[in-house]
C-alpha cells in the first residue's frame, strides 16, 4: 500500500511538471492582422511614415512578430518595394516604420499594405501569415492645385555627388516631352500618360545660385525648377587648442570648402562640446572658437567639434591636458574616429553611401 502511494506521488509530480512546461509554450494564436494602418507624408524628404496596431493581442501579451510591407506605385499591381520589419509587439502598442522614395512623392500615386506573422519561439510551428491589410492610397498629386504643369522636386537641396530623380507632371496627356538640366537634354522615361521622369547620377556643383531644370512638351506646356547642389561638408582638419594665459583656450581648425549657397540654407555651423563639464558653445566663427578655462582645477578637457549643415554632421575630438606646463604652448592631439553622417527622412544620422538624399 505504501509502495502504491509512493508511485501515485511520483506520477502527480511528473504531471505537475509537464503542465508547468506546457504553460510556458503558447498555443498558436489566430493570425494577427495589422489594423488601423495610417500613412503620413513628408514631401520635402520624400518619406512615407507608417503606423499601425495589432488589436488582436491579449491584454498585457507580448509577442515577437515580423511584418511584411509592400509599396506599389501608380497601381497596386506595380509593387516597387518589399520589406520586413521584426519587433516585439505589446498589447495596444502603436508601431512605426518609414520608407524613403527616390522619386518625389508628388510624381505618382503610392499604395501601401502590410501583413504579419508571429515569430516567437514560444509559439509552435507552423506559423502562418495573416491576411493583408487593405491597400492604403497616398496621392500627393491632389495637392498640386490647378497648375497646368509642374516639375518636382521644387528647389531641392542636395549634396554634390548625389543621385536625383526629377519628374514633370502635366494635366494633359504628354506628347514629345523634352527636359533639360542646365541646357543639356536628358533622357526621359514615361511613368504614365501625365508624368515623365529622368535621373541625374553623381550630380555636380555648378554654381551657388543653383542648377536650372526645364521641361516642355508639344502642345506648348512648360515648367521648371532649380536644383541647389551643395559641396559636401568636410570633416574639420588640424583641430587643435592652445593657451598662453591659462584663462582661455583658443581652438582652431581648417573648415575646408564652404557649403553655403545663395538664396538657400544652410550656412555651416560649428559647436564645441566638452564632455567632462557637459558644457557646449556655438562658435561664432567657422575656423576658431575661444573657451574659458574653468576655475575649479579642471585639468583635462575632452572636446568634440561638430560641424553641421542641413544635410550632414561631421565631428572630431581632441583631449587636452592643461597641466603640461613644460611647453610654452599647450597643443592637443587629435583622436581618430570622428563622426560623419547624413540626415535621413527619419531624422537620424547614417554614413554616406551615395544614393538619393
Amino acid at each position: 500500500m505504501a509502495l502504491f502511494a509512493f508511485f501515485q506521488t511520483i506520477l502527480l509530480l511528473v504531471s505537475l511538471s509537464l503542465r508547468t512546461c506546457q504553460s510556458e509554450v503558447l498555443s498558436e494564436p489566430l493570425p494577427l492582422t495589422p489594423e488601423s494602418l495610417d500613412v503620413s507624408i513628408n514631401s520635402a524628404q520624400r518619406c512615407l511614415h507608417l503606423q499601425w496596431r495589432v488589436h488582436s493581442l491579449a491584454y498585457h501579451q507580448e509577442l515577437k512578430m515580423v511584418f511584411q510591407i509592400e509599396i506599389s506605385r501608380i497601381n497596386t499591381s506595380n509593387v516597387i518595394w518589399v520589406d520586413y520589419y521584426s519587433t516585439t509587439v505589446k498589447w495596444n502598442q502603436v508601431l512605426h516604420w518609414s520608407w524613403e522614395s527616390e522619386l518625389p512623392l508628388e510624381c505618382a500615386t503610392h499604395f501601401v499594405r502590410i501583413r504579419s506573422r508571429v515569430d516567437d519561439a514560444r509559439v509552435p510551428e507552423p506559423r502562418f501569415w495573416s491576411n493583408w491589410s487593405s491597400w492604403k492610397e497616398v496621392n500627393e498629386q491632389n495637392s498640386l492645385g490647378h497648375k497646368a504643369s509642374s516639375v518636382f522636386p521644387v528647389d531641392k537641396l542636395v549634396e554634390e555627388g548625389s543621385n536625383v530623380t526629377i519628374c514633370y507632371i502635366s494635366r494633359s496627356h504628354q506628347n514629345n516631352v523634352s527636359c533639360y538640366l542646365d541646357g543639356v537634354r536628358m533622357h526621359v522615361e514615361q511613368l504614365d500618360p501625365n508624368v515623365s521622369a529622368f535621373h541625374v547620377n553623381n550630380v555636380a556643383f555648378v554654381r551657388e545660385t543653383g542648377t536650372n531644370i526645364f521641361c516642355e512638351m508639344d502642345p506648348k506646356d512648360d515648367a521648371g525648377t532649380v536644383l541647389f547642389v551643395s559641396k559636401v561638408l568636410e570633416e574639420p582638419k588640424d583641430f587643435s587648442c592652445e593657451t598662453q594665459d591659462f584663462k582661455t583656450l583658443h581652438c582652431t581648425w581648417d573648415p575646408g570648402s564652404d557649403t553655403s549657397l545663395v538664396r538657400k540654407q544652410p550656412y555651416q555651423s560649428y559647436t564645441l562640446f566638452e564632455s567632462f563639464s557637459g558644457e557646449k558653445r556655438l562658435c561664432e566663427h567657422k575656423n576658431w572658437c575661444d573657451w574659458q578655462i574653468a576655475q575649479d582645477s579642471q585639468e583635462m578637457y575632452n572636446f568634440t567639434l561638430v560641424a553641421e549643415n542641413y544635410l550632414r554632421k561631421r565631428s572630431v575630438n581632441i583631449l587636452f591636458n592643461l597641466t603640461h606646463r613644460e611647453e610654452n604652448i599647450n597643443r592637443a592631439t587629435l583622436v581618430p574616429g570622428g563622426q560623419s553622417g547624413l540626415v535621413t527622412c527619419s531624422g537620424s544620422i547614417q554614413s554616406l553611401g551615395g544614393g538619393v538624399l
Side-chain angles (χ1 to χ4, degrees), residues 174-320:
Q174 296 183 2
N175 182 30
N176 297 328
V177 175
S178 300
C179 290
Y180 302 88
L181 178 72
D182 232 39
V184 178
R185 186 168 181 173
M186 309 300 294
H187 173 71
V188 175
E189 174 188 359
Q190 198 79 28
L191 298 184
D192 71 22
N194 300 96
V195 181
S196 299
F198 66 91
H199 306 280
V200 184
N201 295 323
N202 194 26
V203 63
F205 172 83
V206 178
R207 63 183 73 88
E208 291 185 355
T209 53
T211 302
N212 296 320
I213 297 172
F214 179 76
C215 292
E216 60 183 356
M217 59 176 284
D218 185 24
K220 189 69 174 178
D221 189 4
D222 53 43
T225 187
V226 177
L227 182 66
F228 291 92
V229 182
S230 167
K231 293 183 179 179
V232 178
L233 180 67
E234 298 180 30
E235 182 180 281
K237 302 178 182 65
D238 302 325
F239 179 33
S240 64
C241 296
E242 64 183 27
T243 183
Q244 295 181 341
D245 58 8
F246 291 93
K247 295 180 181 179
T248 303
L249 284 171
H250 182 64
C251 299
T252 61
W253 58 90
D254 175 6
S257 300
D258 188 0
T259 66
S260 303
L261 295 174
V262 177
R263 294 175 43 227
K264 194 71 175 176
Q265 64 173 327
Y267 66 91
Q268 58 200 59
S269 64
Y270 293 85
T271 305
L272 269 182
F273 295 88
E274 204 288 303
S275 63
F276 295 124
S277 64
E279 296 180 2
K280 67 178 180 179
R281 175 182 176 85
L282 180 62
C283 301
E284 298 179 2
H285 306 276
K286 291 185 177 181
N287 59 349
W288 65 272
C289 200
D290 283 343
W291 187 278
Q292 298 302 309
I293 293 175
Q295 302 301 313
D296 57 1
S297 302
Q298 180 179 344
E299 297 179 352
M300 297 296 295
Y301 289 81
N302 187 6
F303 285 117
T304 299
L305 175 64
V306 178
E308 183 175 5
N309 65 13
Y310 180 76
L311 297 171
R312 179 185 289 275
K313 284 185 179 180
R314 300 272 201 182
S315 67
V316 291
N317 301 85
I318 58 172
L319 188 64
F320 188 87

Side-chain angles (χ1 to χ4, degrees), residues 23-53:
S23 67
E24 296 177 358
V25 178
L26 302 175
S27 60
E28 184 189 0
L30 294 174
L32 303 174
T33 304
E35 299 176 272
S36 303
L37 175 62
D38 182 66
V39 183
S40 58
I41 305 168
N42 185 327
S43 296
Q45 295 181 340
R46 307 183 321 281
C47 284
L48 298 182
H49 300 290
L50 281 60
Q51 66 176 42
W52 68 92
R53 297 175 185 265

Side-chain angles (χ1 to χ4, degrees), residues 23-140:
S23 67
E24 296 177 358
V25 178
L26 302 175
S27 60
E28 184 189 0
L30 294 174
L32 303 174
T33 304
E35 299 176 272
S36 303
L37 175 62
D38 182 66
V39 183
S40 58
I41 305 168
N42 185 327
S43 296
Q45 295 181 340
R46 307 183 321 281
C47 284
L48 298 182
H49 300 290
L50 281 60
Q51 66 176 42
W52 68 92
R53 297 175 185 265
V54 181
H55 293 302
S56 305
L57 276 178
Y59 181 66
H60 288 326
Q61 184 180 13
E62 292 186 15
L63 280 177
K64 291 182 180 179
M65 298 183 66
V66 57
F67 297 90
Q68 184 180 1
I69 302 164
E70 283 191 351
I71 298 177
S72 297
R73 181 176 288 155
I74 301 176
N75 56 67
T76 56
S77 61
N78 182 34
V79 176
I80 61 165
W81 190 270
V82 179
D83 209 343
Y84 295 86
Y85 170 56
S86 298
T87 187
T88 298
V89 183
K90 301 178 182 179
W91 174 80
N92 207 32
Q93 180 182 1
V94 178
L95 299 163
H96 299 269
W97 183 85
S98 295
W99 175 75
E100 181 177 359
S101 172
E102 87 287 353
L103 181 73
L105 295 175
E106 296 90 347
C107 301
T109 303
H110 290 77
F111 302 87
V112 181
R113 69 175 181 175
I114 186 171
R115 66 177 179 173
S116 64
R117 187 185 68 195
V118 175
D119 192 26
D120 200 300
R122 296 170 296 169
V123 176
E125 300 279 2
R127 305 174 191 137
F128 301 100
W129 284 105
S130 72
N131 294 326
W132 285 103
S133 68
S134 300
W135 284 106
K136 197 78 172 182
E137 180 178 334
V138 182
N139 189 355
E140 272 292 85

